[in-house]
Amino acid sequence: MIKYILKRVVSAVITMLFIITITFVLMKCIPGDPFMDKKMPNPEIRAAMYAKYGLDKPLFTQYILYLKNFVRGDFGVSYTRAGLTVQKIIGDGFPYSLVIGIYATCLVIFIGISMGIISALKQNKLIDRLLMILATLGATIPSFVLATGFLFLFSKTLGWVPAFGVPNLRGYIGPVITISVFSIAFVTRLTRTSVLEVLQQDYIRTARSKGISELRVIVIHALRNALLPIVTYLGPMMAGILTGSFVIEKVFGIPGIGSLFTLSIMNRDYTMIMGITVFFAIILIFVVLLVDILYVIIDPRIKYD
């Protein structure tokens, strides 16, 4: 296992280098730059800003300088927020996305898996059909439509939750629900399919023939093996939710990392684009590695040599 983890760490470093390179090149291909603005019409001032931030240097030189700073843990300063480093801005916005992500992930795991198991055990019955209809609706309705409807009903009409920002814990209810609906629907269908497939295996029939209780058959024998494809999906899903959804955060007025990423692209804030992209990649790589380790815990038959 240790040898496998070390190999994955080396692979992660290579992946990070690839992501940084691709993002850096694509970012420079975007038309315009942070200082091509009506507020800065003087070419001398723009030239001074280019020199200050090193944008007047050759592209390859800028790339090498960024790699050196990245190795030292320095993501640079924002081009559009004077005096603020990228680490500071991400540090201020990520806690909002983290709280939403943790609550949403718990909601997806608990509700999605529970609904999938119930649907599989009640296959082709009324509750199964009802849950599949709900799962289909949850997977097809866009998140911004759900968010708008939630605000109209529970904020404007009923006044139960705040319409903007997160002044208290109730402010997280809308973002958590709307950001998790699609994943709940997907996990429900995935769990149902996986559980149904496992229940048809010979070892399940053998366990039942031995007189083992149905609850024990489902929890101990069936669910453990059925969780493998679900865990595979939950890894990238968790990374995506933890780093925020720019649509949901925009609708609910939450200053999370998702909305920061949108603003950085609109403002051509190169350091912010690079910083948030690399930050997301680090979380995704870590979560995928964690999922690989969980495979061994869930299914001892899997060995990493």
Side-chain angles (χ1 to χ4, degrees):
M1 175 63 76
I2 300 298
K3 186 178 180 181
Y4 171 77
I5 293 176
L6 291 176
K7 288 182 178 179
R8 288 302 303 268
V9 170
V10 174
S11 176
V13 172
I14 297 173
T15 303
M16 283 302 307
L17 180 62
F18 181 78
I19 291 173
I20 290 174
T21 304
I22 294 298
T23 305
F24 186 87
V25 173
L26 292 177
M27 180 183 62
K28 294 296 183 179
C29 293
I30 300 175
D33 60 61
F35 307 112
M36 292 295 293
D37 194 275
K38 294 180 181 179
K39 298 178 182 179
M40 198 175 294
N42 193 320
E44 295 180 356
I45 297 178
R46 287 204 301 267
M49 297 302 292
Y50 293 158
K52 177 181 178 180
Y53 291 106
L55 296 178
D56 58 340
K57 294 181 172 62
L59 189 62
F60 183 74
T61 303
Q62 295 181 43
Y63 173 71
I64 296 300
L65 287 174
Y66 184 85
L67 287 181
K68 290 180 179 179
N69 293 331
F70 172 75
V71 171
R72 295 198 301 265
D74 181 11
F75 286 176
V77 296
S78 172
Y79 293 161
T80 57
R81 300 189 182 188
L84 291 179
T85 63
V86 174
Q87 291 96 316
K88 169 66 176 173
I89 297 174
I90 293 177
D92 291 341
F94 183 61
Y96 294 100
S97 299
L98 180 63
V99 173
I100 294 173
I102 291 174
Y103 287 145
T105 300
C106 293
L107 208 61
V108 170
I109 293 174
F110 179 74
I111 296 180
I113 294 179
S114 299
M115 288 175 58
I117 294 173
I118 293 173
S119 184
L121 296 179
K122 302 295 182 180
Q123 183 183 13
N124 295 328
K125 295 184 179 179
L126 179 62
I127 189 171
D128 175 33
R129 299 182 187 278
L130 179 61
L131 290 176
M132 287 301 98
I133 291 174
L134 292 175
T136 302
L137 289 174
T140 54
I141 300 177
S143 58
F144 68 88
V145 174
L146 291 173
T148 305
F150 182 92
L151 286 175
F152 176 79
L153 178 61
F154 294 102
S155 179
K156 182 179 180 180
T157 305
L158 300 175
W160 291 355
V161 296
F164 189 84
V166 281
N168 50 51
L169 191 60
R170 289 185 303 168
Y172 286 103
I173 297 176
V176 168
I177 292 176
T178 53
I179 204 174
S180 60
V181 166
F182 175 82
S183 296
I184 289 175
F186 191 89
V187 169
T188 297
R189 300 181 71 89
L190 183 61
T191 303
R192 179 183 184 274
T193 303
S194 184
V195 171
L196 285 175
E197 182 179 350
V198 170
L199 289 178
Q200 296 174 2
Q201 300 299 316
D202 292 338
Y203 71 90
I204 296 295
R205 300 190 186 95
T206 302
R208 284 171 171 168
S209 66
K210 291 181 178 179
I212 299 176
S213 66
E214 188 66 14
L215 179 63
R216 185 177 177 83
V217 170
I218 298 299
V219 175
I220 303 299
H221 298 280
L223 187 57
R224 187 171 185 178
N225 291 325
L227 281 177
L228 285 176
I230 302 167
V231 170
T232 303
Y233 171 75
L234 288 178
M237 181 214 73
M238 288 171 57
I241 291 180
L242 287 176
T243 49
S245 169
F246 67 90
V247 174
I248 299 300
E249 291 180 359
K250 195 72 174 178
V251 172
F252 286 95
I254 299 174
I257 197 172
S259 57
L260 288 175
F261 191 51
T262 307
L263 289 174
S264 65
I265 295 175
M266 294 174 60
N267 295 329
R268 304 296 189 268
D269 195 340
Y270 295 154
T271 51
M272 279 298 299
I273 296 173
M274 290 294 299
I276 296 177
T277 302
V278 171
F279 182 72
F280 174 79
I282 291 173
I283 294 178
L284 181 59
I285 291 171
F286 173 77
V287 171
V288 171
L289 176 60
L290 184 62
V291 167
D292 287 346
I293 296 174
L294 285 176
Y295 281 160
V296 180
I297 299 175
I298 295 174
D299 191 348
R301 294 173 300 176
I302 298 177
K303 300 294 183 182
Y304 291 131
D305 296 326

